[in-house]
Amino acid sequence: MMRILILFLALGLGTPASAAELKDLAPRPAASLRLPTLDGKQVDLGQLRGQVVLVNFWASWCPPCRKEMPSMNRLSRLMQGQPFVILGVNAGEGIETVQGFLKHTPVHFPILLDEKGTSLKPWQAFVFPTSFVVDKRGQIRMGLLGSIEWDAPETVARLRTLLAEK
Amino acid sequence: MVKLLCILGLGLCLCASLRAEDVAVRLPSGVEVVSERFAAPQGPILLWITGDHGSVEAESRAAADLAGKGIEVWLTDWLGPYFLPQLPGSVAQVPDQDLGDWLAAIRRQEPGRALLLMASGHAADLALRAARDARERLHQETRGVVLLFPLLYRGLDIGIEPDYAAVVDATRQRLALLVPQSSAGFWWRERLKERLEAAGSQVALTVLPGVRDGFYRRMDATDGETAAGAHLGETLWRLLQDVLGDIRP
C-alpha cells in the first residue's frame, strides 16, 4: 500500500490505483524538441523524421523513472539496427546531477538536458515519468503516464507496428 | 519554595501543550470526527487534515512544535470516519456538508479563535471544500488555508491538459502553497496559482528546494528529506508567519 502511495506522490496522479498503460493516441504533430545532450551536442526531434522516437521525460529524484530505465536499455538493444531512437529528457536538473545519477544507472540512449523545463509545457508533461511515441512522420501516436517494462513483448510488438509503417 | 513550585507548574503547563489529547466532534450527519489536539490555549487553531497516508511521526512532532509556539493544532484523519481506503479517489467521497459542519462545531466550541486549515497532497481538496462550505453555506470565514504539495487535478490522462477540481474555481481564501522543487508540481505551480487567483484567492507560493512531494513521510526519504522533515514545524511556522500575517493570540 505504501509503495502505491509513494508512486502516486511521485507521479502526482489523481486517479485511482491502476497499472500504467501505453495508450494509443489520436495522431497529432509532436511539439518541437531541441535540446543539448550531456556532451553538448544538440538533438532536434525534427531531424529524426523517418525514425520512431520514444520521448521520455524523467528526473533522477523520481522512483518510477529510475525503475523503468533498465527496460528502456533493453528495448534500445532489442531495436538495434532499426530506425528507432529513445530520447531521455531530463527536466530541471543540472549536468552534474544527471552525470552523477548515470554513473550508478548507466543508460544506452541519448539523454537530453532541459534544466529550465521549457519542453514540459509544449509536451504537456504533468507527471514524471511521461512518455510519448512519435512515428516516422513526426506524429505522436502513443503516450504513457507512469512507468512500464518497455521490453515487454506486447509493447515491443506495438512499437514494431509503427516501425513497419512507411 | 514558591519559586520552585511556580517553575514546576510552568513546566507542567508547557509539557501539557506538547502532549496530544483526542477530541471528538459529532456532526449532524452522525459522523464522529476525532482529532489529536496539540493544545495552545487562546491561540489560533490550525486544523491539519490528514488521513490519506496514515499517521506520520513528523506531523505529530511538527504539531507539537507549533503548539509550543502558540498555535493549537488538530491533526484530523478525515478518511477514517468513513472507513475509506488511503487512495487518492477517497477524498471525493467525503461530503462537503460534513466538512463545513465540522468547522462550525469547532467555532462554537472555541469561540473567538481564528481557524486555519492545512492539508497535503490529495487532501488539499478537503481543506478547500471545508473552507468553501463554511463560507458559502454557513457564512463563516476561515482565516486561511495552507496547502503542502497540493494535488488538485481532476483526473489525469496522457496528452490532455488536466483540469483542476471544481473547488479550485470556487475558493476565495488567503492561501499559502508549499511546493517541493523536486516535484512535477513545481513546473505547474504558476498555473495553479493563477487559477486560484482568478477565482479570487490571495496566493503566496513557497518553493522548498531539495525535497520531493511528501518529503517528511516517504519510505525512501533522502538524508536531505529526513532533515527537512525534522524541521517541519519550523518550516510551517515560517510559512504561517510570513504568509498569513499576524496570527499571534
Side-chain angles (χ1 to χ4, degrees), chain B residues 203-222:
Chain B
V203 183
L205 200 53
T206 299
V207 173
L208 202 58
V211 299
R212 298 169 289 177
D213 287 352
F215 61 93
Y216 55 82
R217 59 187 196 223
R218 298 183 73 100
M219 299 280 279
D220 62 343
T222 62

Side-chain angles (χ1 to χ4, degrees), chain A residues 127-145:
Chain A
V127 301
F128 292 125
T130 289
S131 301
F132 294 96
V133 180
V134 181
D135 70 14
K136 291 177 178 177
R137 291 170 297 130
Q139 302 277 310
I140 291 178
R141 301 285 296 276
M142 299 177 200
L144 170 69
L145 296 180

Side-chain angles (χ1 to χ4, degrees), chain A residues 62-72 74 147-149:
Chain A
C62 157
C65 303
R66 297 197 296 263
K67 183 170 179 275
E68 67 177 357
M69 276 182 167
S71 74
M72 292 167 74
R74 293 192 298 270
S147 63
I148 57 172
E149 293 295 310

Side-chain angles (χ1 to χ4, degrees), chain B residues 42-44 69-71 114 143 237 240-241 244-249:
Chain B
Q42 298 171 357
K69 289 173 162 58
I71 299 179
R143 183 69 179 268
W237 171 252
L240 290 163
Q241 289 296 310
L244 296 173
D246 183 2
I247 53 170
R248 295 174 199 281

